[in-house]
């Protein structure tokens, strides 16, 4: 079907107008922004690249999925460490199951990063640290909505607080044992390392009852994610986002900083500050803030967004502009990355981690066929 000439004309005119507006914005900010040249690579310190992958299929009896996490040590003799799990969930709701699988993959990524990091190595991850901190959660269905009196509500809130505290204690015990066995190379990866999806263990350890678990599973999964992120925040972190839509420089509803950065930065970086501009940034949830002695690194980061040091960066004139976020000094972080970006424009340790963690359709479908064959009557 042909395009109507008037439609073509409308699109072309809109593009011309928008490009003209971008040119005006570039002229306005060109003299104001300080583009810092890329530093000399720091060859004395290393980074590890971490990435994760996931794949799923929806069947009549459930959602079967695989998650994996990989870390790559960024030195000549660096080891590649892998962690993969193959599982099933009973939740058939597309949005819920997709988010559940993603959260479990992110827990795996955070944990393999922690287990692989040595000394002061910078942990390099794909994505956004600020987005990791504002990950939303579902309110647990622990309330009896047939009974709206304040007494029942307070009782249920108190019970949810108890469950959360019990769960965090179990997570701490699990992680200390897990980390010790990993470092001593005695660890046999468990059948299910995501404790929030293991109701039998949680009931056995008296975290909660089976009935309570059905109403709080998704919430506990979010708490487990926070637990892994809280431990990660004690390390030197650097996240690189390929896609971003931040507006910390340009005050315009129809454009983003990326359009400006792409036009201004040939190579180098522009440090920015989020301040109050980061959308959806809010304080700590009431349940988490009520618990003393747990998730303190997460709470601190949520209360002060300036813990995150962001910048727009282009590593080479052939690469796009990225959003880089670190919890460490950019003047120390960027030189470490530079030795992995020479002639490529993107850290090689992240490229290798991505290639190593990728779950292929061929590999995944082979496992699915093996399972389905078990269902076929002989």
């Amino acid at each position: 079907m042909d395009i109507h000439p008037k439609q073509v004309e409308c699109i072309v005119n809109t593009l011309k107008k928008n490009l003209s507006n971008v040119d005006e914005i570039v002229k306005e900010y060109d003299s104001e922004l300080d583009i810092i040249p890329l530093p000399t690579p720091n060859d004395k310190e290393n980074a590890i690249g971490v990435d994760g992958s996931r794949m799923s299929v929806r069947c009549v009896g459930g959602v079967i999925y695989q998650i994996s996490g990989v870390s790559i040590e960024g030195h000549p003799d660096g080891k590649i460490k892998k962690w993969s799990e193959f599982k099933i969930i009973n939740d058939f709701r597309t949005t819920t199951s997709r988010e559940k699988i993603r959260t479990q993959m992110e827990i795996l990524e955070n944990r393999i990063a922690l287990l692989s990091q040595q000394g002061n190595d910078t942990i390099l991850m794909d994505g956004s640290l600020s987005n990791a901190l504002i990950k939303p959660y579902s309110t647990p269905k622990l309330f009896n909505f047939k009974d709206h009196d304040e007494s029942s509500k307070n009782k249920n809130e108190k019970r949810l607080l108890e469950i959360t505290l019990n769960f965090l204690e179990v997570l701490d015990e699990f992680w200390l044992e897990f980390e010790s066995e990993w470092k001593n190379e005695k660890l046999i990866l468990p059948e299910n390392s995501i404790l929030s999806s293991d109701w039998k263990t949680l009931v056995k350890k008296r975290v909660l009852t089976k009935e309570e678990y059905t109403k709080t599973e998704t919430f506990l999964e979010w708490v487990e994610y926070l637990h892994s992120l809280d431990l990660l925040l004690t390390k030197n972190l650097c996240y690189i986002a390929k896609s971003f839509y931040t507006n910390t420089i340009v005050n315009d509803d129809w454009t983003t900083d990326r359009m400006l950065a792409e036009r201004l930065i040939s190579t180098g970086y522009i440090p920015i500050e989020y301040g109050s501009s980061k959308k959806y940034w809010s304080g700590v949830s009431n349940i988490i803030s009520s618990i003393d002695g747990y998730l303190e690194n997460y709470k601190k980061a949520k209360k002060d967004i300036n813990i995150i040091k962001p910048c727009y960066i282009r590593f080479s004139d052939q690469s796009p502009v990225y959003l880089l976020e670190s919890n460490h000094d950019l003047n120390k972080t960027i030189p470490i990355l530079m030795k992995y970006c020479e002639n490529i424009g993107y850290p090689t340790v992240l490229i290798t981690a991505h290639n190593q963690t990728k779950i292929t359709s061929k590999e995944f479908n082979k496992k699915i066929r093996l399972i389905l064959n078990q269902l076929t009557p002989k």
Side-chain angles (χ1 to χ4, degrees):
M1 183 181 295
D2 294 334
I3 304 174
H4 194 285
K6 289 292 185 181
Q7 293 174 337
V8 175
E9 182 183 354
C10 177
I11 293 171
V12 170
N13 288 339
T14 302
L15 287 173
K16 286 181 178 178
K17 180 182 177 181
N18 288 344
L19 287 170
S20 177
N21 288 339
V22 171
D23 288 338
E24 290 299 316
I25 292 172
V26 170
K27 288 179 184 178
E28 179 184 348
Y29 288 97
D30 190 14
S31 59
E32 296 182 17
L33 295 176
D34 183 19
I35 301 174
I36 301 175
L38 293 173
T40 303
N42 178 352
D43 294 324
K44 295 181 180 179
E45 296 187 51
N46 297 313
I48 63 169
V50 178
D51 202 4
S53 183
R54 64 191 185 277
M55 189 170 285
S56 64
V57 63
R58 190 172 301 275
C59 303
V60 175
V63 179
I64 304 172
Y65 64 101
Q66 183 177 354
I67 52 176
S68 69
V70 166
S71 68
I72 310 292
E73 295 176 358
H75 54 83
D77 300 321
K79 297 178 181 178
I80 298 176
K81 297 177 181 178
K82 300 181 180 181
W83 189 347
S84 180
E85 295 192 7
F86 196 69
K87 309 165 78 172
I88 186 170
I89 51 178
N90 298 323
D91 198 329
F92 294 93
R93 293 169 293 178
T94 303
T95 304
T96 306
S97 61
R98 187 186 297 130
E99 184 57 33
K100 180 184 287 289
I101 294 167
R102 180 185 179 88
T103 299
Q104 291 190 13
M105 179 198 73
E106 290 169 342
I107 293 171
L108 225 60
E109 284 182 282
N110 292 346
R111 285 177 174 168
I112 200 165
L114 286 163
L115 293 168
S116 304
Q117 196 252 13
Q118 297 180 5
N120 292 319
D121 284 357
T122 296
I123 296 174
L124 185 55
M125 302 183 80
D126 179 36
S128 165
L129 176 56
S130 56
N131 285 344
L133 284 163
I134 60 176
K135 186 180 180 70
Y137 68 97
S138 298
T139 303
K141 299 174 182 177
L142 195 63
F143 303 101
N144 179 5
F145 291 104
K146 294 179 181 178
D147 187 357
H148 291 281
D149 68 87
E150 197 65 26
S151 175
S152 296
K153 183 179 178 182
N154 291 338
K155 181 181 178 182
N156 285 327
E157 286 179 342
K158 183 179 178 181
R159 178 55 185 154
L160 180 61
L161 184 62
E162 290 173 351
I163 290 171
T164 306
L165 182 57
N166 292 342
F167 185 49
L168 284 167
E169 289 174 352
V170 169
L171 280 172
D172 267 2
E173 292 172 7
F174 162 79
W175 182 250
L176 285 172
E177 182 179 352
F178 198 94
E179 187 178 33
S180 174
E181 290 185 2
W182 175 283
K183 288 180 177 179
N184 293 326
E185 298 185 349
K186 296 179 180 179
L187 178 68
I188 299 175
L189 288 175
E191 177 187 347
N192 182 11
S193 65
I194 309 295
L195 291 188
S196 52
S197 62
D198 185 1
W199 68 267
K200 291 182 180 178
T201 296
L202 298 183
V203 171
K204 183 179 179 181
K205 290 184 175 289
R206 299 185 179 181
V207 171
L208 74 181
T209 66
K210 185 179 179 181
E211 182 183 0
E212 289 172 331
Y213 176 79
T214 61
K215 299 176 181 179
T216 58
E217 178 186 359
T218 303
F219 176 77
L220 292 178
E221 200 166 69
W222 176 71
V223 172
E224 185 162 9
Y225 165 80
L226 293 188
H227 183 269
S228 68
L229 181 62
D230 181 75
L231 293 170
L232 200 62
L233 286 167
T234 63
K235 310 297 182 182
N236 295 339
L237 305 177
C238 180
Y239 285 64
I240 297 180
K242 303 182 188 74
S243 300
F244 55 93
Y245 305 95
T246 46
N247 271 52
T248 61
I249 300 174
V250 179
N251 293 315
D252 199 304
D253 291 336
W254 67 272
T255 189
T256 65
D257 287 354
R258 180 167 194 154
M259 296 177 69
L260 178 67
E262 289 281 4
R263 300 287 286 273
L264 286 179
I265 305 175
S266 54
T267 59
Y269 64 98
I270 301 175
I272 58 175
E273 291 183 0
Y274 285 140
S276 60
S277 67
K278 190 68 178 176
K279 291 183 179 180
Y280 314 120
W281 193 266
S282 59
V284 181
S285 71
N286 290 336
I287 291 294
I288 301 302
S289 62
S290 300
I291 299 174
D292 294 327
Y294 289 94
L295 307 178
E296 295 301 325
N297 302 304
Y298 164 76
K299 293 176 191 174
K300 184 178 179 181
K302 283 285 284 181
K303 290 174 182 176
D304 182 11
I305 194 171
N306 292 317
I307 282 176
I308 301 174
K309 315 292 189 250
C311 71
Y312 301 128
I313 189 166
R314 195 195 296 266
F315 292 107
S316 78
D317 56 9
Q318 302 297 317
S319 70
V321 170
Y322 301 107
L323 171 63
L324 184 152
E325 294 179 330
S326 179
N327 62 346
H328 200 49
D329 186 347
L330 291 178
N331 293 325
K332 295 180 180 179
T333 299
I334 294 175
I336 296 171
L337 303 188
M338 290 307 301
K339 70 177 178 179
Y340 302 109
C341 297
E342 292 180 307
N343 304 319
I344 295 178
Y346 192 74
T348 52
V349 283
L350 268 184
I351 294 173
T352 306
H354 174 76
N355 292 335
Q356 288 288 333
T357 195
K358 188 176 181 180
I359 302 168
T360 65
S361 297
K362 182 179 179 181
E363 170 195 350
F364 183 74
N365 291 335
K366 183 178 179 181
K367 293 174 181 175
I368 296 299
R369 284 196 298 272
L370 177 67
I371 289 170
L372 296 180
N373 286 340
Q374 300 291 320
L375 299 175
T376 305
K378 296 180 181 179

